[in-house]
Amino acid sequence: MEKEELDYKRMLTSFMLILVYVYLLQPVGFIVTTILYLPLQMYVLAPDEKKTKKDIIQLAVISVIFTFVVFFLFRYGFKIILPAGIFTINL
């Protein structure tokens, strides 16, 4: 049985991205911070052969859609207001 090699660079990058995300969430807001965080995190975790320009655009589109779905689900489904940050959304 082969032992899988650990990828410390990806692990450290993911950890740093999470710290930055948590630090910026309150002052910048959920929508902006999450739209920036998600494609970066998905890019870091993606296999090397899935880092083409097409894949990066796909990650960005997925992050925008996912962010707004989660925002509206929490706002109107669970009645929980996520941090607005620099933008106030009155929807």
Side-chain angles (χ1 to χ4, degrees), residues 16-18 20-22 24-25 27-44 56 59-68 86-87:
M16 295 304 290
L17 282 171
I18 292 168
V20 170
Y21 176 75
V22 169
L24 294 177
L25 187 61
V28 178
F30 174 79
I31 292 177
V32 174
T33 309
T34 305
I35 287 175
L36 294 174
Y37 165 76
L38 280 179
L40 292 172
Q41 184 65 60
M42 289 187 286
Y43 181 81
V44 167
I56 293 169
L59 294 176
V61 169
I62 290 170
S63 72
V64 170
I65 293 170
F66 178 79
T67 299
F68 280 101
I86 57 177
F87 298 113

